[in-house]
């Protein structure tokens, strides 16, 4: 019994030996009620575990007006005895002694009255979808992965650093940004030349929601050696794909004294350890998702944990793609960015395992990536996964002041705005590297769900911010 005076259904189902014969109290939401004139069976779920507990009601002992209110979606407190179940399908059940109704759910209008809704419909009722088996499973796995991420870094000597959500620079290079302002949109103050006068705005300058915590994380790494961020990031691109959100969570470790190889080693070990954690700690939920959505899910997760990721250069990958004879929607040519279809071909068809690509053409990557001696490529690395494509993007960073400065000039990145970033290369610079893992892309992979809107409680996408 916890301090709210209830037994968690998870405890009753998982450790039933120690509860059988006891009086227990459960509180939760009705999933189904069935039965006849004499006996009713209520399946109750409290979110502690995917499985329901069966409550058996001897109808003659209860007020029929109360039992009428026990419908799908209603919230109940049930007091009774835990007994071994006579029926098949469950080991134990509760013989109800009293039922109190916390909240009814009118069967005529409760949207989850019936099973089998489409994912699209469930997105329209994001305020209720956590009560489905699917979203219960996804949300528990999401929690477990967030915990495993903090645990992994803590166990490996990294410090969690909180980087700002509101940023004064719009030159981070990772994507279009959302403006943050308190100016009156209908009537903003203007300068003499007619431009908006941001000096009168809240921060005295234009500000945006961050697209990445990396630049600030680098400042942390130049003092604490091993740091990571884990927070919300925002991209204002109008990309309606199953793999993009306007608001998503990103994990960004940044390591002083790591070069590209150590960066790859860390990314590979990190991903494997997270997937291993899911297999060890979320098995009931994974089994459910495996059964309902993706029959190869558990096998796929197990295979990743045991395989060496393939490592090769971008240049080699383009050669493979050019020679493979596969028809792609977008052509491949050295110098252009790989599309998801190319990434997935390499991973799913050619190598049949995760792939880490390195040494990209400098013109398709950000200004801060370490320049190779060939003058053409930079030490970027992307980790590509089956079904997902890019799950991690990272690089060794350019630590030489002059090289970084001239690359910023070439790419039109304002050295005035990023003066503080440049100063890390002026004072005690060090080789360093890091990467960004998109949290929802990880959850997509671990749950086997097919749309990123279904692995975050309240997805933010173009034209969608209802809940
Ligand atoms: P993509 O090419 O897939 O659009 P990107 O190269 O723009 O991604 P990065 O800037 O490298 O992305 O961000 C690091 C990681 O953050 C990506 O590898 C991916 O896992 C995740 N990510 C990037 N953009 C999004 C988004 N809009 N929604 C969800 N996750 C994202
Ligand atoms: Mn990337």
């Amino acid at each position: 019994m916890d301090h709210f005076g209830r037994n968690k259904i998870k405890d009753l189902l998982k450790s039933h030996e120690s509860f059988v014969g006891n009086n227990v109290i459960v509180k939760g939401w009705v999933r189904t009620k069935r039965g006849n004139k004499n006996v009713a069976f209520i399946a109750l779920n409290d979110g502690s575990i995917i499985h329901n507990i069966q409550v058996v009601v001897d109808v003659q002992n209860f007020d029929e007006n109360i039992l009428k209110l026990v419908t799908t979606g209603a919230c109940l407190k049930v007091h009774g005895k835990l007994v071994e179940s006579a029926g098949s399908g469950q080991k134990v059940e509760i013989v109800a002694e009293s039922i109190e109704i916390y909240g009814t759910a009118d069967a005529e209008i409760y949207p989850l009255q019936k099973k089998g809704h489409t994912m699209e419909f469930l997105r329209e009722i994001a305020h209720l979808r956590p009560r489905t088996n699917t979203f219960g499973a996804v949300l528990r796995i999401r929690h477990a992965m967030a915990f495993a991420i903090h645990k992994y870094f803590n166990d490996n000597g990294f410090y969690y650093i909180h980087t700002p959500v509101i940023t004064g620079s719009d030159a981070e290079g990772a994507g279009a940004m959302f403006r943050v302002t308190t100016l009156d949109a209908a009537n903003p103050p203007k300068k003499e030349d007619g431009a908006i006068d941001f000096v009168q705005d809240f921060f005295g300058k234009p500000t945006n929601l961050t697209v990445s915590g990396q630049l600030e994380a680098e400042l942390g790494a130049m003092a604490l050696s091993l740091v990571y961020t884990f927070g919300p990031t925002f991209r204002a691109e109008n990309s309606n794909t199953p793999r993009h959100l306007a608001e998503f969570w990103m994990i960004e470790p940044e390591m002083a004294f790591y070069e590209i190889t150590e960066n790859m080693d860390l990314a590979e070990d990190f991903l494997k350890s997270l997937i291993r954690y899911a297999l060890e700690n979320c098995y009931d939920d994974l089994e459910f998702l495996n059964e309902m959505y993706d029959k190869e899910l558990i096998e796929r997760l197990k295979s990743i944990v045991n395989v060496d990721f393939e490592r090769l250069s971008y240049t080699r990958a383009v050669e493979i793609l050019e020679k493979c004879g596969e028809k792609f929607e977008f052509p491949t040519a050295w110098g252009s960015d790989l599309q998801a279809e190319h990434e997935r071909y390499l991973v799913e068809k050619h190598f049949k395992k995760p792939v880490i690509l390195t040494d990209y053409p400098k013109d398709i990557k950000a200004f801060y990536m370490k320049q190779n001696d060939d003058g053409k490529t930079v030490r970027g690395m992307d980790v590509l996964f089956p079904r997902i494509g890019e799950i991690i993007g990272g690089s060794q960073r350019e630590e030489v002041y002059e090289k970084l400065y001239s690359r910023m000039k070439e790419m039109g990145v304002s050295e005035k705005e990023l003066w503080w970033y440049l100063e890390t290369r002026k004072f005690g610079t060090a080789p360093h590297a890091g990467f960004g893992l998109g949290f929802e892309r990880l959850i997509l992979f671990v749950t086997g769900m097919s749309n990123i809107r279904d692995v975050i409680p309240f997805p933010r996408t173009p034209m969608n911010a209802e809940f």
Side-chain angles (χ1 to χ4, degrees), residues 173-175 211-212 233-235 237 239 243-252 337-338 343 365 368-369 382-383 388-394 435-442 452:
V211 292
S212 156
T233 47
F234 307 85
R235 307 236 171 134
E237 282 122 16
S239 47
R243 298 175 303 113
H244 288 89
L245 291 163
E247 174 181 304
F248 64 101
W249 288 65
M250 186 146 59
I251 300 98
E252 295 179 277
D337 216 351
L338 298 184
E343 298 175 340
K365 289 291 183 188
Y368 48 70
M369 294 195 183
D382 282 3
V383 181
I388 308 292
E390 180 184 334
I391 193 165
I392 278 180
F435 60 80
L437 166 65
F439 188 51
E440 286 75 20
R441 298 242 178 120
L442 172 74
I452 201 163

Side-chain angles (χ1 to χ4, degrees), residues 371 398-407 425:
Q371 297 159 38
E398 183 56 77
E399 84 276 20
V400 179
Y401 182 93
E402 291 74 22
K403 287 192 177 169
L404 180 62
Y405 184 85
S406 67
R407 193 70 190 131
R425 277 59 170 179

Side-chain angles (χ1 to χ4, degrees), residues 31-270:
R31 285 297 170 77
T32 57
K33 186 175 83 171
R34 56 188 180 83
N36 54 40
K37 279 200 307 260
N38 304 317
V39 60
F41 300 98
I42 304 168
L44 203 70
N45 188 284
D46 67 1
S48 60
I49 185 169
I50 186 122
H51 307 296
N52 305 322
I53 198 154
Q54 171 153 291
V55 176
V56 184
V57 182
D58 187 350
V59 171
Q60 62 180 2
N61 297 338
F62 286 81
D63 179 347
E64 73 177 305
N65 290 320
I66 298 266
L67 288 186
K68 253 193 241 159
L69 299 175
V70 177
T71 58
T72 298
C75 187
L76 313 183
K77 170 181 177 179
V78 176
H79 180 197
K81 191 189 244 178
L82 192 76
V83 299
E84 279 175 33
S85 177
S88 64
Q90 63 277 320
K91 286 217 176 73
V92 290
E93 61 195 16
I94 296 172
V95 178
E97 275 159 32
S98 71
I99 294 178
E100 184 185 325
I101 298 192
Y102 284 131
T104 58
D106 184 345
E108 295 293 313
I109 53 175
Y110 180 56
L112 292 172
Q113 178 63 26
K114 292 203 176 63
K115 288 187 166 184
H117 294 298
T118 64
M119 300 311 274
E120 288 77 12
F121 173 73
L122 292 175
R123 273 173 226 148
E124 288 168 21
I125 53 163
H127 60 305
L128 295 172
R129 68 180 183 171
R131 297 190 197 181
T132 62
N133 285 332
T134 300
F135 285 89
V138 168
L139 292 175
R140 278 185 297 271
I141 291 171
R142 195 179 155 102
H143 159 80
M145 288 294 90
F147 177 78
I149 286 163
H150 287 301
K151 178 167 162 44
Y152 179 89
F153 285 127
N154 189 61
D155 289 350
N156 287 285
F158 284 66
Y159 298 103
Y160 181 24
I161 176 162
H162 297 93
T163 52
V165 167
I166 299 174
T167 163
S169 75
D170 60 5
E172 292 166 21
M177 301 181 101
F178 289 100
R179 174 60 46 86
V180 175
T181 179
T182 53
L183 295 180
D184 179 0
N187 186 25
K190 300 263 173 71
K191 293 192 288 194
E192 272 168 19
D193 63 0
I196 294 175
D197 184 12
F198 284 104
V199 174
Q200 294 185 52
D201 202 350
F202 190 90
F203 297 103
K205 61 182 291 193
T207 49
N208 296 291
L209 293 178
T210 187
V211 292
S212 156
Q214 177 201 320
L215 301 190
E216 293 90 348
E218 284 187 51
L219 313 180
M222 290 298 108
L224 301 170
S225 297
L226 302 176
V227 301
Y228 70 105
T229 71
F230 185 178
T233 47
F234 307 85
R235 307 236 171 134
E237 282 122 16
N238 198 359
S239 47
N240 259 309
T241 82
R243 298 175 303 113
H244 288 89
L245 291 163
E247 174 181 304
F248 64 101
W249 288 65
M250 186 146 59
I251 300 98
E252 295 179 277
E254 194 66 38
M255 297 75 67
F257 320 121
Y258 274 45
E259 302 201 6
I260 186 83
T261 306
E262 290 85 52
N263 205 20
M264 287 192 273
D265 292 346
L266 180 73
E268 182 169 341
D269 185 60
F270 179 49

Side-chain angles (χ1 to χ4, degrees), residues 279-320:
L279 285 166
E280 285 167 6
N281 294 276
C282 307
Y283 208 80
D284 287 6
D285 289 323
L286 290 175
E287 258 184 332
F288 171 80
L289 295 168
N290 193 89
E291 179 62 29
M292 294 297 291
Y293 295 102
D294 178 354
K295 295 274 193 291
E296 284 151 27
L297 175 64
I298 290 176
E299 275 318 304
R300 190 182 312 113
L301 296 178
K302 285 183 178 161
S303 77
I304 300 282
V305 169
N306 295 317
V307 77
D308 287 335
F309 295 5
E310 188 73 31
R311 300 179 182 190
L312 72 159
S313 71
Y314 164 94
T315 302
R316 178 87 192 93
V318 170
E319 280 165 20
I320 292 171

